[in-house]
Amino acid sequence: MEYSQQLEAQREELTRTARQLREVNEKLTQLSVQKDAFLSQISHELRTPMTSIRAFSEILMEGVPPEMAGQYARIVHDEAIRLTRLLDDLLDLSVLENGSVQLNLGLTNLQQLLDRAVQAASHTRPEREFTLHRNPAAENMFIRTDGDRLAQVFINLISNARKYCDAARPELRIVVRHRGGRVMVDVIDNGSGIPKASQALVFEKFARLTDQTRAGGAGLGLAICREVMGSLGGTIGYLPGQGGAAFRVTLPLRLEKAA
Ligand code: ADP
């Protein structure tokens, strides 16, 4: 190779390396911006319940009429629970995100798991009686998975459905199907759904898209669901065009027992 060709090759190599360095630098800056945004969101979420706890405990310490004391103590108690839940969710998310989650795999009957999730979610506030529509497909379906983690996903989805469904006529549909070695579970409510522009954001951390005063969550539930489904080898997605909000959970069907 001639000297001028060698020089040209080295120049190209240098240009390529400079471009790669620039890209790495841009990525690092982007990560740092995301980290700052995440920390500021966490601080904000922690500060809100802390402020109430501080204010109401100070009022209690100064002394209030007994009929008010119970009410203020209840606020302090509820806010402390909110804070604990938030910290638990943040810890859970960090374990899931860094891949150090321990799965406890076993054979799980899908119907029983969904029953359990409906039951567990029934404690979610606001208290309301759903009309629940189910198809029987899950009855004889057994999947090899971490049952507690999968239940966590459905509890989250069903709790959200309780929060955001039509308050006057609350309805929930859970539809199970299996196709091509995969099982699909759709959780569909009859609320106002998620606007098209926000559908891609619902699985992001701290996503709160609709009327926040109704819900009161920190917006971590669906981010956790996405991480859990990833660790179980499945997926979760939003299903547009179903009336209310609709989420589809997909899992590999490891084993199906005949009826
Ligand atoms: P949160 O604890 O705030 O409910 P999630 O991650 O579970 O957090 O949900 C994020 C946001 O997605 C909610 O704040 C709400 O705006 C929207 N969302 C979730 N589920 C539903 C639903 N079933 N119907 C309407 N909006 C929903």
Side-chain angles (χ1 to χ4, degrees):
M1 203 191 274
E2 276 183 27
Y3 182 61
S4 63
Q5 280 177 320
Q6 277 180 2
L7 267 183
E8 181 57 22
Q10 280 175 356
R11 200 181 62 79
E12 278 173 16
E13 180 66 31
L14 273 177
T15 314
R16 210 172 18 250
T17 310
R19 195 180 52 237
Q20 283 166 349
L21 276 175
R22 217 173 24 247
E23 282 168 8
V24 169
N25 197 24
E26 277 166 16
K27 186 82 205 153
L28 283 175
T29 312
Q30 202 183 343
L31 283 175
S32 162
V33 169
Q34 280 172 2
K35 197 180 103 208
D36 288 349
F38 184 55
L39 282 177
S40 98
Q41 277 162 326
I42 291 179
S43 318
H44 172 75
E45 292 297 335
L46 293 177
R47 191 169 297 123
T48 314
M50 285 308 284
T51 308
S52 303
I53 289 174
R54 217 173 123 176
F56 283 101
S57 54
E58 274 167 15
I59 298 174
L60 281 168
M61 283 187 307
E62 280 163 16
V64 285
E67 65 275 15
M68 304 301 284
Q71 193 188 331
Y72 291 174
R74 158 77 43 202
I75 296 174
V76 172
H77 174 262
D78 289 353
E79 290 298 289
I81 287 180
R82 187 146 84 97
L83 208 49
T84 313
R85 198 172 304 137
L86 178 62
L87 290 173
D88 286 346
D89 280 355
L90 281 168
L91 268 177
D92 200 21
L93 198 56
S94 117
V95 168
L96 286 158
E97 276 182 341
N98 70 28
S100 54
V101 62
Q102 296 274 337
L103 293 180
N104 188 7
L105 298 178
L107 210 52
T108 303
N109 176 270
L110 189 56
Q111 179 87 355
Q112 284 170 8
L113 184 132
L114 289 171
D115 287 344
R116 204 173 110 199
V118 169
Q119 177 61 30
S122 67
H123 303 299
T124 316
R125 277 192 280 172
E127 279 175 27
R128 45 173 72 130
E129 268 314 310
F130 268 141
T131 306
L132 178 62
H133 305 279
R134 307 261 307 256
N135 68 336
E139 264 168 30
N140 297 303
M141 237 179 243
F142 286 78
I143 40 182
R144 183 164 293 284
T145 191
D146 183 322
D148 287 341
R149 281 294 185 181
L150 186 58
Q152 181 187 9
V153 171
F154 289 117
I155 292 169
N156 238 314
L157 292 179
I158 300 167
S159 303
N160 277 350
R162 285 181 74 87
K163 285 193 244 172
Y164 301 106
C165 64
D166 179 348
R169 217 172 31 87
E171 270 182 45
L172 174 71
R173 268 190 300 146
I174 301 180
V175 184
V176 180
R177 286 191 207 93
H178 70 103
R179 197 184 303 145
R182 294 190 80 74
V183 52
M184 287 171 287
V185 185
D186 297 347
V187 178
I188 309 166
D189 64 50
N190 67 338
S192 49
I194 296 176
K196 203 167 179 359
S198 308
Q199 287 167 8
L201 300 174
V202 281
F203 297 101
E204 298 303 322
K205 290 184 276 244
F206 300 112
R208 272 188 304 197
L209 316 164
T210 44
D211 181 359
Q212 296 185 16
T213 50
R214 274 202 300 164
L220 291 176
L222 288 174
I224 292 176
C225 288
R226 182 175 61 178
E227 293 300 325
V228 170
M229 288 317 298
S231 69
L232 296 180
T235 58
I236 183 168
Y238 188 77
L239 273 185
Q242 301 291 314
F247 292 87
R248 171 166 293 174
V249 169
T250 310
L251 273 166
L253 181 60
R254 295 280 154 75
L255 183 68
E256 191 198 354
K257 239 166 91 174

